[in-house]
């Protein structure tokens, strides 16, 4: 079990009527990874997750969770997987605690209350444990969905937009919790439209566009490939030395933008300015973020 | 096994939590039928020799309640779960399709039996009830509840909207139960309708269930029992095939 990938997807295609939802997608996620699956609405993220969870069946190709085929060995595959679905679903007949007990039972677990209490505490739901699901706010229902995905302590956890509609403070505590779970060895896969979350949390990123995998790399490499560091300066007087002027882009009002190959180059630029007797009024550094990478990827044809 | 038991328990709890609506309401309806029809017809209709019309009506109403409520339980649970999206909670766990089927089926049978028993107890307030062969009637109630429970699973899986399920209920279940001899013996019908009734599986259930009360029936049990068992098995097989393929549940 040690060297088996947490998730392996091999040449998966899926068509819904006239819509090719996934086109020959392959990717492998190793155990312990914190992985982001990104893409615009309708790119195929949820379809891929549904196939991994057994909610949809691939037309061709094979998906495995911890080495278990999601079709032929579906019971083992599902035992190893926890999914937080995107839709805010709940059963209005039950309280939060009942919901979690029932979900534990579905996974063959009885007397799971110690773990249920711990999840409830970590997700700040303990005070709502005996409230009916109907009475919870949207953010709380979302957290119950997370709790439901965790009742059976799955080694692989997929979160499909877990922070949609959750306020900032809760979002942070939720990520803190997920990060701790990741640190204890669980594999985390998430989809989100908050790209700064993905950039901040995930070490590796896949991007889907119209059902095709268009990027699959370390977050750092993706960011690096997206472009150079940019130095924005405002100078006084407005006389940039010629060696800088030739490579600068004027932003108007004595403001310029310079592309830097590395952070090292900053020193050099400052030195040139000092010798030329030009003083700095303002300075800032811009690094391309995941949003820039994402936009580039989506615009590429 | 725990997965199956949990799902079964959940399905039973689901209707029990709203028993006012799922048990008491159908019981009141059945008792109203009893009062109205017995008032209107008891002096005009004689069905079996030595059996009064009210006594004749009781097993019919009990069985009708069993059947309608078994159908209502599995079908409404599935359609609600599908429409609200919480069906995902039973699709994600490692519950096999056979366990899934049995849990919904047995919960439907339980609901049918609970409502049937309530109706029976209710009718005892109005008329003395004697059951000659209670175990036979119970066997018919379980089989009938099972058959309609299975039909409810099929309807719940197939329907995508509440009105589709309502159509199933209004255009199939209601006519089949009302025209099954709950309120009359099919021998009182004109030949054409008598022949039609023989194609209604629900007729055989009511008839066999009633035989357990009086030891008299419209057709022989040696015909009726195999029909009921056969229908139950056929519908169960259809359910299992649909569930195994994930029809309308797993895309």
């Amino acid at each position: 079990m040690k060297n088996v990938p947490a998730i392996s997807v091999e040449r998966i295609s899926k068509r819904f009527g006239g819509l090719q939802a996934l086109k020959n997608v392959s990717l492998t996620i190793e155990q312990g990874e914190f992985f982001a699956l990104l893409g615009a609405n309708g790119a195929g993220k949820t379809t891929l997750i549904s196939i991994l969870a057994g909610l949809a069946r691939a037309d061709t190709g094979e998906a495995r969770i911890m080495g278990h085929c999601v079709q032929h060995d579906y019971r083992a595959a599902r035992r190893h997987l926890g999914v937080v679905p995107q839709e805010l679903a709940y059963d209005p007949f039950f309280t939060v605690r009942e919901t979690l007990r029932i979900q534990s039972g579905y996974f063959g677990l009885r007397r799971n209350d110690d773990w249920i209490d711990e999840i409830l505490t970590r997700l700040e739901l303990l005070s709502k444990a005996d409230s009916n699901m109907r009475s919870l706010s949207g953010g709380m229902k979302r957290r119950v969905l997370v709790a439901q995905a965790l009742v059976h302590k799955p080694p692989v956890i997929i979160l499909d937009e877990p922070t949609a509609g959750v306020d900032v403070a809760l979002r942070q505590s939720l990520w803190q919790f997920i990060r701790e779970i990741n640190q204890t060895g669980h594999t985390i896969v998430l989809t989100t439209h908050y790209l700064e979350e993905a950039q901040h949390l995930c070490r590796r990123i896949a991007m889907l566009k119209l059902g095709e995998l268009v990027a699959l790399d370390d977050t750092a490499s993706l960011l690096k490939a997206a472009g150079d560091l940019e130095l924005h300066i405002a100078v006084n007087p407005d006389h940039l030395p010629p060696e800088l002027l030739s490579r600068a882009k004027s932003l108007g009002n004595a403001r310029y933008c310079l592309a830097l190959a590395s952070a090292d180059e900053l020193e050099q630029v400052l030195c040139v300015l000092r010798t030329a007797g030009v003083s700095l009024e303002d300075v800032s550094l811009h690094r391309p973020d995941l949003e820039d990478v994402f936009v580039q990827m989506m615009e590429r044809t | 096994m725990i997965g199956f038991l949990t799902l079964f328990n959940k399905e039973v709890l689901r209707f029990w939590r709203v028993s006012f609506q799922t048990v008491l309401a159908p019981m009141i309806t059945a008792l109203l039928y009893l009062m109205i029809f017995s008032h209107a017809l008891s002096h005009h209709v004689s069905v079996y020799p030595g059996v009064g019309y009210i006594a004749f009506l009781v097993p019919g109403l009990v069985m009708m309640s069993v059947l309608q409520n078994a159908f209502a339980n599995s079908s409404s649970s599935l359609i609600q779960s599908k429409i609200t999206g919480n069906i995902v909670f039973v699709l994600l766990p490692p519950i096999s399709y056979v366990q899934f089927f049995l849990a919904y089926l047995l919960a439907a049978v339980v609901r049918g039996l609970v409502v049937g028993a309530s109706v029976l107890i209710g009718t005892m307030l109005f008329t003395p009830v004697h059951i000659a062969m209670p175990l036979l009637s119970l066997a018919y109630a379980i089989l009938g509840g099972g058959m309609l429970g299975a039909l409810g699973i099929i309807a719940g899986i197939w329907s995508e909207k509440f009105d589709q399920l309502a159509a199933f209920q209004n255009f199939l279940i209601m006519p089949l139960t009302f025209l099954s001899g709950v309120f009359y013996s099919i021998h009182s019908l004109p030949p054409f309708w008598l022949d039609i009734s023989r194609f209604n599986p629900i007729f055989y259930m009511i008839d066999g269930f009633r035989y357990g009360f009086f030891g008299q029936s419209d057709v022989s049990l040696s015909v009726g029992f195999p029909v009921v068992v056969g229908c139950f098995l056929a519908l169960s097989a259809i359910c299992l095939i649909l569930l195994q393929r994930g029809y309308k549940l797993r895309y």
Side-chain angles (χ1 to χ4, degrees), chain B residues 72-96:
Chain B
N73 204 64
S74 49
S75 62
S76 67
S77 176
L78 280 167
I79 189 90
Q80 277 178 18
S81 287
K82 277 168 56 170
I83 285 173
T84 61
N86 66 42
I87 189 89
V88 70
F89 302 136
V90 293
L91 296 177
L92 290 173
I95 296 173
S96 75

Side-chain angles (χ1 to χ4, degrees), chain A residues 288-299:
Chain A
D289 60 12
L290 197 57
E291 201 161 306
D292 301 317
V293 180
F294 185 79
V295 170
Q296 282 179 20
M297 286 293 175
M298 294 304 134
E299 281 172 356

